[in-house]
Amino acid sequence: MELTRRKLVGSAALLALGAGVRAGHTEPRMSNIPFAATTPISVSRVGLKARDANALTSFYRDVVGLQEVKRDGETITLGAGSRALLDIEADKAAKPDDPRSAGLFHTAFLLPSRADLGRWIKHAIDRRIPVDGASDHLVSEALYLTDPEGNGIEIYSDRAHDGWKWNGAQVEMATRQLDIGSIVSEVPDGDAGWQGAPENSIVGHVHLRVGDPAAAARWWHSQFGFDTVAEYGNSAVFLSSGGYHHHIGANSWQSPGAGRRDASLTGLAWVEMRSADAKAASTYEDPWGTVIRAVPGQPG
């Protein structure tokens, strides 16, 4: 399993890959809720601290396709359909995030279908959106980018979960070249194209920077009962509830030995988990001071 490097596809390469690709298959626009949200515990939403909340909001609206749900004081909430996915909290005095510290590696927005991912790719090509990477992970297909304040983003769709390969308790994942043309060909002829993140888009997983992945795994096991479903040596671990390929990733690729996160930095403010077992809202801190909220809620 090779997960430390992404198969890079720069903007020019993405444009070239997209050139001349025609739509083919037909698919209903409305899709079911992704499997990731049907497990006993899943990611509900993510909070980011931003020096320029309005600019960051524009990015997540125009590039990622989220819609503004509400504004409450210095906090702007974005989502897809009726589902809140991202809070952006303004703090003009915050210091820029340090990628060598504990914090956010990326927020992963999961689209309901492969055709939706194809629509987003065509949107990225048309808008010349800079893309950092593109990978086929066997269980999923993903593209990566970075927001204006340095927060990582993954936009992906899952392959059907009944087709994932398991070796005992470990799911098979890899990092392979993404077939852009095949994904775009899922978009039907005459399709209206990307209209923003569709209903039933969710935060499928959150990938964290930590000082010690083994310590992260122990914490998620004890606090949330998560299973370890994949490991990459001692530098990355992938954890989930209910047989998903991962709701939480934790790596030390840039942050080995990192200590407690500086709360005055931009970037990750908190991660909120939806739990069918939770009786009331509660707040935890992982070993690096990353705030993890738990809220009661049924799957879906």
Side-chain angles (χ1 to χ4, degrees):
M1 180 175 62
E2 182 189 3
L3 295 171
T4 56
R5 295 187 298 119
R6 301 170 181 155
K7 300 289 187 181
L8 294 183
V9 179
S11 300
L14 187 61
L15 287 165
L17 285 167
V21 174
R22 299 184 66 248
H25 302 171
T26 60
E27 177 174 319
R29 192 69 175 95
M30 178 58 71
S31 299
N32 293 329
I33 192 74
F35 173 65
T38 68
T39 56
I41 303 174
S42 63
V43 182
S44 174
R45 57 180 173 161
V46 170
L48 297 179
K49 183 185 294 186
R51 297 177 64 159
D52 190 338
N54 286 317
L56 213 57
T57 294
S58 295
F59 179 90
Y60 281 92
R61 182 186 63 235
D62 299 341
V63 173
V64 180
L66 302 184
Q67 299 92 45
E68 185 172 328
V69 175
K70 67 176 181 178
R71 295 194 179 215
D72 183 6
E74 296 297 309
T75 299
I76 304 169
T77 300
L78 302 167
S82 60
R83 188 183 298 264
L85 301 178
L86 182 69
D87 279 12
I88 299 177
E89 304 170 358
D91 186 348
K92 295 179 181 178
K95 299 178 292 186
D97 193 22
D98 179 358
R100 298 166 298 179
S101 69
L104 181 69
F105 191 65
H106 61 239
T107 303
F109 296 96
L110 174 56
L111 302 180
S113 73
R114 197 171 191 244
D116 290 320
L117 186 59
R119 293 181 182 99
W120 186 86
I121 290 172
K122 294 183 72 173
H123 162 70
I125 292 167
D126 293 343
R127 295 285 301 274
R128 287 178 162 76
I129 294 169
V131 172
D132 301 331
S135 298
D136 181 339
H137 293 306
L138 304 183
V139 295
S140 63
E141 296 172 293
L143 294 100
Y144 299 89
L145 53 158
T146 304
D147 77 19
E149 297 203 4
N151 301 297
I153 297 168
E154 177 179 342
I155 297 177
Y156 76 114
S157 64
D158 276 334
R159 290 195 167 95
H161 69 275
D162 56 5
W164 301 345
K165 295 182 179 179
W166 291 82
N167 299 312
Q170 300 280 296
V171 67
E172 185 177 338
M173 293 194 288
T175 299
R176 297 181 180 175
Q177 186 70 45
L178 189 65
D179 188 342
I180 298 287
S182 175
I183 299 170
V184 172
S185 73
E186 295 284 338
V187 181
D189 288 318
D191 187 81
W194 181 251
Q195 304 294 311
E199 185 81 25
N200 289 336
S201 297
I202 64 170
V203 178
H205 66 269
V206 175
H207 199 144
L208 301 171
R209 304 188 311 252
V210 300
D212 179 2
R218 289 192 295 271
W219 188 85
W220 285 94
H221 294 164
S222 64
Q223 297 298 328
F224 286 87
F226 273 19
D227 300 313
T228 296
V229 293
E231 295 174 285
Y232 186 72
N234 60 4
S235 63
V237 64
F238 301 86
L239 305 131
S240 77
S241 166
Y244 188 52
H245 58 70
H246 67 296
H247 290 105
I248 294 293
N251 77 69
S252 59
W253 297 328
Q254 298 170 288
S255 55
R260 189 173 179 84
R261 178 169 171 77
D262 183 347
S264 69
L265 297 179
T266 61
L268 186 63
W270 44 264
V271 177
E272 183 179 272
M273 310 298 296
R274 188 274 314 153
S275 173
D277 296 326
K279 304 302 182 186
S282 54
T283 301
Y284 307 82
E285 287 188 358
D286 77 2
W288 300 273
T290 300
V291 174
I292 310 296
R293 300 176 178 176
V295 296
Q298 294 304 306

